[in-house]
Amino acid sequence: NVAVFDTSFHMTMPEVAYTYALPKDVCDKYHVRKYGAHGTSHRYEWVMAKEILGSRCHRLLSCHLGNGASLAAIEDGVCRDTTMGLTPLDGLMMGTRCGSIDPATVCYLQREGGYSYQEVDDMMNKQSGLLAISGISNDARDIRTRASEGDERCLLAFDMFAYKAMQQAGSMIASMAGVDTITFTAGIGENDWSIRKAFCDCFEWLGVRIDNNKNREAVGNGPQVISAAGSAVTVMVIPTDEEYMIAHDVERLTANN
Ligand code: AMP
């Protein structure tokens, strides 16, 4: 049997990135630290971007935007930081997860709202994110339909999704002191050109320019470059293939047995 862990790619993060500022004895005893997730997908993004772009790709911001969503800062194949934490709840706003919020909210809801630990856990993991803000669904397609009809909560859900992704992307880029490549993947990242545009437009100050036609056409067509000629950063859509990565690991790990 071969176990391929979705956290293993992130084990190269430096101590400053993975350590939580909590008492050391508590962290040691309960193994509390940032582990990240989606590592198999982020690793695939690196492998493909490097294969396609060669020496032009050093500092990659990998954006896995699906029902679960996370970013990874990858420098020469090494993960420097990622947005998910001890669990996949941290980081970006997701389909039904709230992502990063003030951690004191948990204590506040238990103390003032009378919610149990289990109720808060369910609320943050299963009743939040796009579902909570749109008020209708965690499915980006449903929200897109209603947003195009002018539904204000659905418009806000998309604006928040893109804003929070942009903000945390800023911190990922800072953690590797720059970026030359951005890749989008997973259900929303591969299919929703408006989210990609909203996200990339926030980085115009960094020289990111996308080609609007290429961006609109890059749906289900395999790896595509969507940045405009002259963009300081190459932006791509690279459909993820976690199964390929897992099969590759199985082959590598069993080759000598
Ligand atoms: P994943 O977790 O990668 O399967 O992604 C699921 C998310 O991708 C859901 O929010 C879907 O609504 C979204 N998604 C899938 N297909 C599309 C599409 N064609 N356009 C927009 N969003 C999509």
Side-chain angles (χ1 to χ4, degrees), residues 21 27 41 73 85 115 162 168 192 252:
C27 291
S41 176
Y115 291 96
Q168 295 187 37
D192 195 315
R252 182 173 54 83

Side-chain angles (χ1 to χ4, degrees), residues 71-85:
L71 308 175
I74 305 168
E75 194 174 355
D76 291 325
V78 172
C79 177
R80 298 286 180 214
D81 209 340
T82 189
T83 54
M84 285 179 167

Side-chain angles (χ1 to χ4, degrees), residues 72-182:
I74 305 168
E75 194 174 355
D76 291 325
V78 172
C79 177
R80 298 286 180 214
D81 209 340
T82 189
T83 54
M84 285 179 167
L86 172 74
T87 75
L89 181 59
D90 202 6
L92 305 186
M93 171 178 159
M94 311 183 209
T96 60
R97 296 189 192 117
C98 57
S100 300
I101 56 170
D102 179 348
T105 312
V106 177
C107 311
Y108 179 78
L109 286 174
Q110 292 188 346
R111 193 181 67 236
E112 298 297 322
Y115 291 96
S116 67
Y117 136 74
Q118 190 61 53
E119 285 168 335
V120 177
D121 195 45
D122 282 349
M123 183 193 301
M124 294 191 302
N125 277 291
K126 298 179 183 161
Q127 300 156 17
S128 299
L130 288 172
L131 172 65
I133 303 301
S134 72
I136 57 156
S137 172
N138 63 314
D139 192 310
R141 287 162 291 197
D142 300 338
I143 304 171
R144 179 63 65 203
T145 305
R146 293 283 278 273
S148 63
E149 294 161 3
D151 184 301
E152 289 191 0
R153 289 189 65 174
C154 291
L155 288 165
L156 176 64
F158 275 127
D159 287 349
M160 283 177 65
F161 186 86
Y163 177 80
K164 288 173 188 297
M166 170 279 291
Q167 232 184 9
Q168 295 187 37
S171 96
M172 291 295 111
I173 292 168
S175 71
M176 54 182 172
V179 62
D180 49 61
T181 312
I182 297 174

